[in-house]
Amino acid sequence: GENVEQHPSTLSVQEGDSAVIKCTYSDSASNYFPWYKQELGKRPQLIIDIRSNVGEKKDQRIAVTLNKTAKHFSLHITETQPEDSAVYFCAGSHFNKFYFGSGTKLNVKP
Amino acid sequence: DTAVSQTPKYLVTQMGNDKSIKCEQNLGHDTMYWYKQDSKKFLKIMFSYNNKELIINETVPNRFSPKSPDKAHLNLHINSLELGDSAVYFCASSSIRAGYTFGSGTRLTVV
């Protein structure tokens, strides 16, 4: 089955700086890679996703890059704000079966 | 309208009891899931149903039994609850073209 590894487990940045979270996956058949943000006590919510036929996708301050050859993908958040503080999960998916990374707790210090 | 709704939101119960958590989605998705999120925040898949048919059954104790009466509902029944079952349980649904939509979670505390 798929194995998704995520790093770092915690990340602390100053407001306005960039944050990068990295994930690797093992199953070359995985073709869909979503990122979820989970605020304290709330449900995980989709913030951005990328499919295997695309190398990069951007939505305002967040972007995701995918390297299929190396089997890794990353989340980039620029100009971080305190409200970006949350736990972020990556996932790899094939045929609707999602495997989540272990999560990254991002703390943006004002 | 809440897209994926699960009840109850909180559940406190004693060891050995049997309890159920209900989940309903109004998104027209074909696939529904149960995930367990432990104290370390790790999201682990438990079950997945596609059009009422069980397609994923990860290594979960057989005290956990999912039931899908139709493709909009996926309930989770837990027998003989144990302390280690304490966690947040998330229901989710998806379709081929969409990612997951999670329910708001059920915080289960076994005392």
Side-chain angles (χ1 to χ4, degrees):
Chain A
E2 175 67 282
N3 181 36
V4 177
E5 295 191 355
Q6 182 172 347
H7 301 280
S9 56
T10 58
L11 178 59
S12 190
V13 300
Q14 206 67 39
E15 183 178 358
D17 288 349
S18 294
V20 180
I21 303 170
K22 298 182 179 181
C23 288
T24 60
Y25 61 99
S26 60
D27 187 353
S28 56
S30 289
N31 56 10
Y32 176 65
F33 305 93
W35 285 89
Y36 286 81
K37 175 183 180 183
Q38 186 177 25
E39 296 176 1
L40 189 64
K42 295 189 178 179
R43 74 188 80 189
Q45 292 200 298
L46 180 69
I47 55 170
I48 195 166
D49 55 13
I50 192 167
R51 297 193 180 271
S52 58
N53 58 348
V54 175
E56 184 174 355
K57 184 175 177 180
K58 191 173 180 181
D59 182 4
Q60 298 182 347
R61 295 187 298 109
I62 59 172
V64 57
T65 58
L66 171 65
N67 183 327
K68 281 172 54 180
T69 305
K71 294 200 200 114
H72 66 70
F73 56 112
S74 300
L75 177 72
H76 304 253
I77 307 174
T78 57
E79 299 171 25
T80 53
Q81 300 167 4
E83 51 264 39
D84 294 330
S85 295
V87 178
Y88 291 80
F89 292 94
C90 64
S93 168
H94 180 57
F95 286 130
N96 264 3
K97 190 170 180 178
F98 282 52
Y99 287 93
F100 285 87
S102 52
T104 296
K105 185 173 182 180
L106 173 64
N107 180 33
V108 180
K109 295 177 285 188
Chain B
D1 280 352
T2 303
V4 181
S5 60
Q6 56 183 106
T7 55
K9 193 170 174 62
Y10 300 97
L11 184 54
V12 181
T13 188
Q14 289 188 324
M15 277 174 49
N17 283 352
D18 303 338
K19 290 294 178 186
S20 292
I21 309 172
K22 295 185 176 182
C23 180
E24 176 181 3
Q25 56 98 1
N26 61 7
L27 297 166
H29 288 170
D30 294 326
T31 310
M32 295 184 72
Y33 311 80
W34 278 109
Y35 275 82
K36 180 180 180 181
Q37 187 171 45
D38 59 25
S39 57
K40 295 183 179 179
K41 303 298 184 187
F42 187 60
L43 274 166
K44 187 173 181 183
I45 192 167
M46 301 173 67
F47 301 103
S48 173
Y49 270 74
N50 181 271
N51 281 321
K52 302 194 298 175
E53 185 179 336
L54 180 65
I55 57 171
I56 297 172
N57 184 352
E58 297 292 305
T59 308
V60 176
N62 58 15
R63 298 181 294 104
F64 290 78
S65 53
K67 280 193 173 52
S68 182
D70 55 62
K71 75 174 195 177
H73 295 84
L74 180 61
N75 304 324
L76 183 65
H77 188 75
I78 316 169
N79 289 328
S80 303
L81 278 155
E82 300 177 356
L83 293 177
D85 297 331
S86 295
V88 179
Y89 292 83
F90 284 100
C91 176
S93 70
S94 73
S95 65
I96 293 292
R97 298 181 186 278
Y100 275 27
T101 300
F102 283 91
S104 55
T106 295
R107 182 174 293 277
L108 171 65
T109 304
V110 182
V111 298

